[in-house]
Amino acid sequence: MTEYIILMPLLILVFGLTPIVARDSYLTKKQKRIMLWIIGLILVLLAQNVADYVLQTAVSMPYLRTLESIVGYSVRPIIIVLFCKLVKPNGRNTIAWILVAVNAAVYLTATFSHFPFYVDENNHFHGGFWYFSKTVFAVSFILLFHLIYCTVSEYRRKKTWIWISIANIVLVMIAPLLDISPLYRNYPVSYLTIAIVCCSLFYYIWLHLEFVKAHESALMAEQRIKLMMSQIQPHFLYNSLSSISELCETDPQKAQQMTDDFSEYLRYNLTALNSEKLVSFEKQLEQTEIYLKIEKTRFGDRVNAVYEIEARDFEVPTLTVQPLVENAVRHGICKRPGGGTVTIRSYETETEYIIEIADNGVGFDTESITADGETHVGIENVRSRLAYFGDTLEIKSELKVGTTATIRVPKKKGEKSR
């Protein structure tokens, strides 16, 4: 009975996975249905393996052994196609299902012929023409290559995901070779069945990793929306449009310029809302200059800007520099009776690029990140976006003196000072 011990961890895994999948609220209905079908077919495969072992070693029933062998040869390709459905849910697998049907049909002929295989009256298994020529086994390998295709086509931009799936495929490919090698031991469960059970667990974990990745993207999108809405406050929209309206009567040319600047400001922010990528510091600096031009038009000498730009050729997450400048204007210098100046600096060291946004405004309490009951625009959102890409934000402020926000962007490996 000791040979059956190998069954215990497999059964624990399969029966343990079943209620977890059934109650998993993170899986879609389609994913849950496919996983439950895979688990059901694995149980059939485990039963077939045990039956085959018993019919080889303890009971001589050639016809029954023929039937259970047909089940084993027919079920494995179905599981592979279901793996394809997990990897590429919207992919079409018509040809794959046709191959599965042909494979099952060929093996069913063993009930009345010796074509694929047969079990003689002495309970000895013999491979027929199709068995020894490996024509039928080719079906499984074709399906495995189809699984590779599904993986690469669906995750070609996510190389980590590709290798997780391909590792599973390699495991399934190696297992039948072990079953026919000198390393094979006559256990109740074949190496191939063990590999399929392990793969089902790996794919379930993979589905959760996919959910985490999708959830991260959703959070990033939500952050971008919050950041966008926190930037383009109604008061800024109304005041900018009001200023344009007034200028239309007093200075039409200036009104036209401010309209162009305001349009560019909105266009950039709406575009950035859908972007997760890094953008050049130069691009963000251009957008910041547009914002400051609008505020300069509105407030005149109360808003001044100084640029001390030494480093330009590097990238930062989108919507990080401008929100900090906007914060300096709105919560810093505009709350000072005579206005003030925002200074934007950039420079580099041996290990990082540094951006500083400094103002000589009213300052605030950095412990609470609040002043006069209002949350400073975008600070925490900017900090989160920078942290996502490995960058950092440091805020230093002193009441009645001013605030300095410092962004630190680590250089990539091998990147040297220019």
Side-chain angles (χ1 to χ4, degrees):
M1 292 297 293
T2 55
E3 62 268 22
Y4 289 96
I5 292 176
I6 193 172
L7 269 174
M8 295 307 297
L10 298 176
L11 290 173
I12 291 171
L13 192 155
V14 173
F15 282 113
L17 191 59
T18 303
I20 293 173
V21 170
R23 297 173 62 87
D24 195 333
S25 58
Y26 297 122
L27 297 183
T28 65
K29 288 183 179 180
K30 186 174 184 179
Q31 290 172 334
K32 190 179 296 187
R33 186 168 61 250
I34 294 171
M35 277 301 305
L36 290 174
W37 267 107
I38 289 172
I39 290 170
L41 290 172
I42 285 174
L43 288 173
V44 171
L45 199 56
L46 286 171
Q48 180 271 325
N49 275 209
V50 173
D52 189 63
Y53 180 78
V54 171
L55 291 171
Q56 282 186 63
T57 59
V59 181
S60 180
M61 299 179 68
Y63 189 73
L64 191 58
R65 189 178 176 192
T66 299
L67 293 178
E68 57 83 6
S69 295
I70 292 171
V71 171
Y73 287 127
S74 302
V75 165
R76 294 187 192 103
I78 298 174
I79 295 175
I80 296 173
V81 178
L82 291 176
F83 284 156
C84 293
K85 291 294 291 181
L86 283 179
V87 172
K88 194 171 184 177
N90 298 319
R92 294 187 176 183
N93 296 289
T94 306
I95 295 177
W97 285 118
I98 291 173
L99 287 173
V100 167
V102 169
N103 177 74
V106 169
Y107 276 113
L108 280 169
T109 62
T111 57
F112 56 83
S113 76
H114 294 172
F115 202 50
F117 70 89
Y118 66 97
V119 181
D120 63 25
E121 63 277 5
N122 296 317
N123 202 38
H124 295 146
F125 184 92
H126 301 276
F129 170 78
W130 283 69
Y131 183 86
F132 281 115
S133 66
K134 308 300 181 185
T135 305
V136 173
F137 285 115
V139 170
S140 294
F141 280 97
I142 291 171
L143 292 176
L144 287 171
F145 280 111
H146 177 61
L147 180 55
I148 292 174
Y149 165 76
C150 291
T151 303
V152 173
S153 62
E154 190 75 5
Y155 297 96
R156 57 185 177 276
R157 295 180 181 177
K158 303 175 185 177
K159 293 182 180 178
T160 303
W161 301 105
I162 288 177
W163 289 114
I164 291 173
S165 183
I166 288 180
N168 283 346
I169 297 168
V170 170
L171 181 63
V172 174
M173 285 182 167
I174 291 174
L177 299 178
L178 292 176
D179 283 333
I180 60 174
S181 74
L183 297 175
Y184 176 72
R185 296 293 181 270
N186 192 22
Y187 291 125
V189 183
S190 68
Y191 290 125
L192 180 55
T193 299
I194 295 171
I196 290 174
V197 172
C198 292
C199 284
S200 67
L201 177 62
F202 291 152
Y203 274 116
Y204 175 70
I205 295 171
W206 192 30
L207 289 176
H208 270 269
L209 292 175
E210 268 285 271
F211 172 80
V212 169
K213 186 67 177 178
H215 187 58
E216 273 187 2
S217 298
L219 287 177
M220 287 294 292
E222 185 178 349
Q223 268 194 350
R224 289 196 301 273
I225 293 171
K226 287 181 179 178
L227 180 55
M228 170 80 172
M229 298 310 295
S230 68
Q231 279 186 263
I232 308 179
Q233 296 292 332
H235 84 278
F236 177 71
L237 293 173
Y238 299 152
N239 292 337
S240 296
L241 291 172
S242 178
S243 297
I244 292 171
S245 179
E246 292 174 8
L247 286 171
C248 285
E249 296 181 3
T250 60
D251 192 340
Q253 187 173 356
K254 200 170 186 179
Q256 182 179 355
Q257 181 59 51
M258 187 173 178
T259 301
D260 292 341
D261 292 339
F262 188 62
S263 298
E264 180 64 21
Y265 171 86
L266 290 176
R267 185 194 66 78
Y268 177 86
N269 282 279
L270 290 171
T271 301
L273 185 65
N274 296 313
S275 174
E276 297 180 6
K277 299 179 180 179
L278 297 170
V279 296
S280 68
F281 169 68
E282 186 80 36
K283 182 66 179 176
Q284 291 216 33
L285 188 60
E286 290 174 8
Q287 180 62 14
T288 300
E289 290 172 350
I290 292 171
Y291 165 74
L292 287 171
K293 281 173 66 178
I294 294 171
E295 296 292 58
K296 180 71 174 176
T297 303
R298 289 177 58 207
F299 295 106
D301 291 337
R302 290 187 62 207
V303 174
N304 299 288
V306 174
Y307 299 93
E308 298 175 1
I309 308 301
E310 296 178 13
R312 294 174 179 268
D313 191 14
F314 63 99
E315 294 181 325
V316 288
T318 186
L319 291 177
T320 48
V321 178
Q322 180 204 320
L324 294 175
V325 173
E326 197 166 333
N327 195 74
V329 172
R330 183 182 175 194
H331 293 283
I333 61 177
C334 280
K335 290 189 175 181
R336 185 178 174 187
T341 301
V342 178
T343 302
I344 303 171
R345 303 186 187 92
S346 69
Y347 56 95
E348 64 178 308
T349 66
E350 286 294 322
T351 58
E352 59 188 4
Y353 295 102
I354 298 173
I355 306 167
E356 291 181 356
I357 295 99
D359 68 75
N360 58 351
V362 296
F364 66 95
D365 180 8
T366 56
E367 292 297 320
S368 62
I369 313 295
T370 60
D372 298 329
E374 290 187 25
T375 301
H376 277 242
V377 177
I379 285 181
E380 290 308 307
N381 281 332
V382 170
R383 194 189 302 278
S384 297
R385 288 184 65 75
L386 288 166
Y388 182 80
F389 289 96
D391 306 332
T392 59
L393 172 64
E394 180 184 354
I395 304 287
K396 292 183 179 180
S397 187
E398 187 176 347
L399 290 172
K400 299 182 181 180
V401 176
T403 303
T404 300
T406 305
I407 296 173
R408 298 182 182 276
V409 181
K411 290 184 176 179
K412 297 176 183 177
K413 189 176 180 180
E415 192 174 1
K416 299 179 179 179
S417 298
R418 292 176 174 82

